[in-house]
Amino acid sequence: GDDNQILSSLASEASGLKWVTPSSGGIVEKLYDTTLGVSGSANSTQFEADFSSSPLTSTDYSHFEFWLTGNTTGGSCDVNFIVDQSTANNYYYTAQQYNVSGSLTWFSAMPDTTGIISDTTITDTAGDAFFCYGTAGFNPARTTDFNVFTWFYQYGNGYSQFTRLNCFTLLDTASEISYMGIGCVGDGSLTGGSRFQINGFKMT
């Protein structure tokens, strides 16, 4: 084959194989990567990944991963995952929370108006550094749902929270997402230098 081609199976070829040029961009695509220049305001959206001009679909992407990291300021707050800015506001979630000594607490809300990925117990004081990893994808059984799993860890108090979040009937169009965001509700917000990244895993 030519430079940068790959060997692919193809039944119509006598050998069953053929050299092909892979599609550009690879299997993982960076969809959003933004760092706050200044601290956000309390009770506001901190990051907005707007895909409305070219929505992300289940045909193009198998799933998504995101990384949120930074500091909080101004006191305790909930950190929320926002989907498509729908007025329906049906977020069903369960979560387990560990404190520094390893004690476990369960909580849930069905439904709630916000998709909480970290509550005030986790982000409880100003200046706390944290990181949050999340993976998300479309629900093939309920095509207007979007499912999210996150792990949020707080350095200052040693607390962590695992959240399973179902964004229930929130997608504007079935199996298509046009917006993902991060918001803060309460006394605190995210400081300048906090960063939110989203990667999409393309269907092959």
Side-chain angles (χ1 to χ4, degrees), residues 6-155:
I6 60 174
L7 196 59
S8 179
S9 60
L10 187 64
S12 60
E13 293 289 314
S15 66
L17 299 169
K18 184 178 181 179
W19 289 102
V20 297
T21 302
S23 58
S24 61
I27 194 170
V28 181
E29 181 180 359
K30 182 186 290 185
L31 299 171
Y32 183 85
D33 188 355
T34 297
T35 301
L36 292 180
V38 297
S39 299
S41 301
N43 298 307
S44 68
T45 303
Q46 314 285 293
F47 293 100
E48 295 187 282
D50 188 351
F51 307 110
S52 56
S53 61
S54 183
L56 313 175
T57 71
S58 62
T59 302
D60 296 328
Y61 298 94
S62 63
H63 66 288
F64 308 93
E65 291 184 346
F66 62 88
W67 177 257
L68 174 67
T69 185
N71 285 270
T72 57
T73 183
S76 63
C77 62
D78 288 340
V79 180
N80 300 322
F81 190 81
I82 305 165
V83 175
D84 273 11
Q85 296 185 307
S86 171
T87 56
N89 290 327
N90 287 320
Y91 291 91
Y92 285 59
Y93 68 88
T94 58
Q96 58 186 32
Q97 189 179 107
Y98 290 91
N99 64 19
V100 69
S101 62
S103 297
L104 173 65
T105 303
W106 286 88
F107 60 96
S108 64
M110 301 186 208
D112 200 357
T113 56
T114 55
I116 297 174
I117 57 175
S118 173
D119 74 0
T120 55
T121 304
I122 302 293
T123 50
D124 60 350
T125 58
D128 281 341
F130 67 85
F131 67 81
C132 177
Y133 167 79
T135 184
F138 301 101
N139 187 338
R142 296 185 53 90
T143 57
T144 55
D145 289 8
F146 194 67
N147 301 121
V148 182
F149 176 83
T150 64
W151 176 44
F152 196 106
Y153 179 80
Q154 177 65 271
Y155 291 100

